[in-house]
Amino acid sequence: MKLALLSNVTVDLLAGMLQRNAELYLSPGFDTWQQEMINPASGLYAFKPDAVVVLLHADAYADTWNDRERGCQTIDEWCSALQVATAKLPGVPVFVSSIDISNVTCHFGAEVRLEAYFENYLIERVQELYCNGSDVYILPVKEAVADLGRKAFYSPKMWYVGSMPYSMKGMAAIAELITRYTSVTKGAKKKCIAVDLDNTLWGGVIGEDGVNGIQLANNKEGARYKDTQRILKKMKEQGVMVAILSKNNVEDVEPVFKHPDMVLQHEDLVAEVINWEPKTVNIRQLATNLNIGLDSFVFLDDNPAERERMKAECPEVAVIDFPKDTAQLPAVVAKAYDEYFLSLEVTSEDTKKTAMYRSEAMRKTEMSSAVSIEDFLKKLEMTMDIHFMKSEEEKRVTQLTNKTNQFNVTTKRYSEEEIHSLATADNSDIITVHMADKFGDQGLVAVLILKYEKDVAEIDTYLMSCRVMGRNAENEMMARIKELLKQKGIATVKASYIKTAKNAPVVDLFEKMGFVNISGEIKEIGDRKDYTTPVDSLPEITGMFKKVLAGDWE
């Protein structure tokens, strides 16, 4: 990653920590970060970063925070520079640190303290920029200060000697934050958290203690479990799938959902696997049912034997270290979100993810009663909306290019800036596909990136969400794209398949569509096959869709 680190303090030691994982750009001169952003000829823009971090030490402006008007003016000036940078770097995330104003001085008892006001004002202004379309986000440095404590986070000696205010512990915490938040731009790591029930979502064993005997409440011992459920519910609302994986009797568990302090309900859960089979067996079946890889799972269980067995038999699954002191459980789960599921923003597809995957179970039931795959597809009453990518779809398209692995012929990863450039260039198009059926809306599920040279079109990227694989959508897409290519005067279509560890489902995709393999054999990961076909030989309309809204290709 190419990372630009701008600050109003000395950050050479911090830069040394970050250089292990990133190519860095540091602004020349002391406290010149605003000039770097405002000047279109600055080194910042020549560097072309993948992400920008602005690390601000508020106490460097100590005289500013004693006056409300002056403090607000300073923050407004910061935000003006941020706005300029995000406009000049479309699609590039800019992270600005939250500020911690210690304002070390003497205060009389009745003095009005403005520190918290200014800290919140910066967050509000950044949120305002984001809502107005700027890719700017808060890097929660203030939270890191609170976790470590100011005495541990800062080093007064380093500040007065070298204009570098952070201790080694403080710098390590900042480096971890920067690495975690900037890595999110390349896609979320995990998709589903599989959680135990007894002594995990509530205290006690439901089969022995009964509903009235478990610990689950707003206060005392039961509050830790309710708080844990609240965090899991929030994770679900932000696109994380939550599944139950429990050795229990269903009839014992069911009454708990009527418990007044049970936060998670059936509709919040993508699946409930409650039986006496080994959890390693159950999680493999769950992965199959959801059509996601084992490496998409995080496992939360109080039983150390279950955790060790999961690590041994399903090493792809991330296993959370369950705290010995369950008072720490909410914090451990919140940290797991940051480590495995952190997202900079939540798309509409994210908020619907659990419902989308739950509806998949209904589709599987429908499939089991169908006499053929064709019969099944027609019973689904599928619809498709295919069109040029809209501006509001850029973030979702970026998300898909960075996390889709199975149906992805080249597995090229793109930043939001690169997606924006491809969409606005004269020699390329990005096509997006939305699908729905009688069980529900599946959202934006497929992306096709085309590049043009004279009368030849190259399929640069062809990907599809795993939840709609096997429904003939790929052929329907190509049939509709054929019209676009003919309008552009395209005579030939080129394509490639590059083997990865996970994209075996599309190893022969182009052969099935009638493309001719002109070079290459697939033996090892990284091998590629190249294809070509006349545009007239692209697939015909499948007839499997109840309705197709093909975008205006004009």
Side-chain angles (χ1 to χ4, degrees), residues 526-545:
D527 288 348
R528 67 181 287 154
K529 290 191 292 186
D530 296 312
Y531 300 90
T532 186
T533 187
V535 70
D536 288 331
S537 296
L538 290 175
E540 299 296 327
I541 292 172
T542 65
M544 291 294 176
F545 287 76

Side-chain angles (χ1 to χ4, degrees), residues 65-68 101 103 105-118:
W65 312 122
N66 295 316
D67 180 85
R68 188 184 299 267
I101 306 175
N103 204 9
T105 185
C106 55
H107 294 281
F108 60 89
E111 185 173 354
V112 175
R113 304 288 295 269
L114 296 172
E115 291 88 343
Y117 172 81
F118 291 127

Side-chain angles (χ1 to χ4, degrees), residues 56-62 65-66 98-107 113-116 118-119 142 145 149-151 153-156 159-160 165-166:
L56 298 175
H57 179 54
D59 284 3
Y61 305 94
W65 312 122
N66 295 316
S98 53
I99 55 175
D100 173 50
I101 306 175
S102 62
N103 204 9
V104 179
T105 185
C106 55
H107 294 281
R113 304 288 295 269
L114 296 172
E115 291 88 343
F118 291 127
E119 290 168 358
K142 173 70 175 183
V145 176
R150 281 179 177 159
K151 287 185 178 180
F153 196 88
Y154 295 112
S155 170
W159 172 237
Y160 291 123
Y166 311 110

Side-chain angles (χ1 to χ4, degrees), residues 207-467:
E208 298 175 2
D209 302 319
V211 176
N212 295 326
I214 62 173
Q215 297 172 352
L216 187 62
N218 274 322
N219 49 45
K220 296 186 178 180
E221 293 295 317
R224 65 193 67 188
Y225 299 104
K226 187 169 184 178
D227 287 344
T228 298
Q229 288 196 35
R230 285 192 181 106
I231 295 169
L232 289 168
K233 173 105 171 178
K234 182 70 178 298
M235 289 167 65
K236 174 257 178 180
E237 292 169 351
Q238 294 181 179
V240 178
M241 292 184 286
V242 180
I244 297 300
L245 211 60
S246 173
K247 288 183 176 178
N248 244 311
N249 295 319
V250 175
E251 58 269 25
D252 291 332
V253 171
E254 183 59 32
V256 186
F257 286 96
K258 297 181 181 178
H259 191 291
D261 293 302
M262 185 70 181
V263 177
L264 291 172
Q265 294 298 310
H266 292 298
E267 60 268 22
D268 298 316
L269 305 169
V270 71
E272 299 169 47
V273 185
I274 303 171
N275 56 40
W276 296 97
E277 295 295 319
K279 293 187 178 182
T280 51
V281 173
N282 284 336
I283 202 168
R284 289 184 184 278
Q285 185 59 53
L286 182 57
T288 299
N289 293 345
L290 295 176
N291 201 16
I292 60 177
L294 278 176
D295 60 352
S296 295
F297 283 92
V298 174
F299 182 58
L300 177 67
D301 197 303
D302 71 295
N303 189 326
E306 296 287 3
R307 298 198 300 272
E308 290 307 310
R309 183 169 184 176
M310 187 66 71
K311 291 177 184 178
E313 297 183 17
C314 301
E316 306 96 325
V317 176
V319 178
I320 297 173
D321 290 330
F322 201 89
K324 293 181 180 179
D325 180 3
T326 53
Q328 299 299 319
L329 183 58
V332 166
V333 174
K335 184 178 179 181
Y337 172 80
D338 281 350
E339 185 173 354
Y340 299 113
F341 302 104
L342 180 65
S343 179
L344 298 183
E345 52 209 327
V346 179
T347 66
S348 60
E349 280 81 7
D350 290 329
T351 62
K352 302 171 186 174
K353 187 172 293 182
T354 294
M356 288 176 178
Y357 277 88
R358 281 175 65 89
S359 66
E360 189 62 23
M362 293 185 280
R363 294 183 184 93
K364 288 182 182 293
T365 300
E366 182 90 19
M367 186 175 183
S368 65
S369 65
V371 297
S372 66
I373 186 64
E374 290 79 12
D375 179 51
F376 164 65
L377 293 176
K378 288 181 178 179
K379 283 184 176 180
L380 282 181
E381 300 177 7
M382 297 183 296
T383 63
M384 176 184 286
D385 180 0
I386 179 170
H387 52 254
F388 291 124
M389 185 188 76
K390 301 173 183 176
S391 59
E392 62 266 26
E393 296 174 330
E394 280 189 7
K395 296 183 188 302
R396 172 62 174 164
V397 169
T398 304
Q399 189 182 67
L400 283 173
T401 61
N402 282 289
K403 73 176 186 178
T404 305
N405 295 307
Q406 295 183 62
F407 193 115
N408 195 337
V409 294
T410 57
T411 319
K412 293 182 179 180
R413 308 303 193 187
Y414 286 114
S415 68
E416 191 173 335
E417 180 186 22
E418 290 168 328
I419 290 295
H420 180 82
S421 296
L422 285 166
T424 55
D426 293 333
N427 62 343
S428 59
D429 282 321
I430 299 181
I431 310 298
T432 58
V433 175
H434 292 248
M435 284 179 60
D437 60 28
K438 67 181 182 180
F439 292 113
D441 183 4
Q442 293 168 302
L444 199 167
V445 294
V447 176
L448 190 72
I449 299 178
L450 297 167
K451 293 182 177 179
Y452 309 112
E453 185 175 355
K454 297 181 179 178
D455 64 345
V456 177
E458 177 190 359
I459 297 176
D460 172 86
T461 294
Y462 192 8
L463 63 84
M464 187 180 301
S465 171
C466 58
R467 63 178 180 262

